[in-house]
Structure formats: C-alpha cells, structure tokens
Amino acid sequence: VQLQASGGGLVQAGGSLRLSCATSGLRRGDNVLGWYRQAPDKERELVASITTGGNFHYIDDVEGRFTISTDNAKNTVYLQMNRLNTEDTATYYCNVKMYRLGTRVADYWGQGTLVTVSS
C-alpha cells in the first residue's frame, strides 16, 4: 500500500488549497481515510476523516472550512481547505486505517505535505 500526498504550498491567510492523496494497493473494506496535521512543536492531530460507509468527522477548528472527499475512480482522497489562517500552518499527512470485523488490521501513512499560511 502506498499513499502519495501532494498539494501543499504557501498561501495567504483567507486563501484556499486542495490537498490530494493518491492511494495504491488498498483493498476494499472497512477503511477510514483521514488527514492529519502536525505543526512545529505540536503533536500530530486528526483534521478530518471519512469512512467507506460515508461518515465524516472534522475537528471543530476546521468544521465549515475544510472538506474531505474521495474519488474512487482515481483512488484519491482530497482535503479542500478554505479560509485558511496562520493556525493551519502544518505538515499534513494522509492516513488509511483498515479494519476487519471491527479490529484495526493496518495503518498506513503518506509522506507529509507542508502547508504554510502567511498573514
């Protein structure tokens, strides 16, 4: 399984970016696709996730500004980020957690993509 993240960059506050995570080798099943971020001197945190059943989760800080989505034909998960602010500056990581019969059986990470929001 491989995850390839892209789309990070430098953007002014109030701007938008769309992150992409191309996946390969994933088997269909009970998967949770997510985007995490890690700011300097902070722990990595979950930003948004989507299950194969179509359930979404966002942290309060990004609710209404970020949207996670998938394109099954392209095996890609996206994170559309709008109204960015300096607090969103971080390295963003895509993640896939695979479950079988309710038990997590695998946890895959892509390489990070840096998002820098300038004031």
Side-chain angles (χ1 to χ4, degrees), residues 57-74:
H57 170 77
Y58 298 94
I59 58 172
D60 290 343
D61 190 38
V62 307
E63 182 82 51
R65 299 190 297 123
F66 290 11
T67 303
I68 188 170
S69 63
T70 60
D71 185 331
N72 292 330
K74 295 182 179 180

Side-chain angles (χ1 to χ4, degrees), residues 1-2 11 29 31 37 41 43-44 48 50 68 71 79 89 107-108 113:
V1 175
Q2 290 188 333
V11 63
N31 300 329
R37 68 185 179 187
D41 299 324
E43 293 187 353
R44 189 174 298 187
I50 180 171
I68 188 170
D71 185 331
L79 185 68
T89 294
D107 193 357
Y108 300 105
T113 184

Side-chain angles (χ1 to χ4, degrees), residues 7-30:
L10 175 64
V11 63
Q12 286 190 326
S16 299
L17 280 176
R18 188 177 78 159
L19 305 183
S20 300
C21 179
T23 71
S24 61
L26 281 178
R27 294 184 178 180
R28 292 193 177 191
D30 294 330

Side-chain angles (χ1 to χ4, degrees), residues 43-101:
E43 293 187 353
R44 189 174 298 187
E45 64 174 351
L46 174 65
V47 175
S49 66
I50 180 171
T51 70
T52 50
N55 295 314
F56 296 87
H57 170 77
Y58 298 94
I59 58 172
D60 290 343
D61 190 38
V62 307
E63 182 82 51
R65 299 190 297 123
F66 290 11
T67 303
I68 188 170
S69 63
T70 60
D71 185 331
N72 292 330
K74 295 182 179 180
N75 296 317
T76 301
V77 57
Y78 302 99
L79 185 68
Q80 177 66 44
M81 305 185 294
N82 299 327
R83 304 199 309 276
L84 286 159
N85 59 59
T86 57
E87 296 295 311
D88 297 317
T89 294
T91 298
Y92 285 71
Y93 299 88
C94 57
N95 171 265
V96 175
K97 292 179 172 44
M98 301 178 67
Y99 293 83
R100 295 295 180 266
L101 300 177

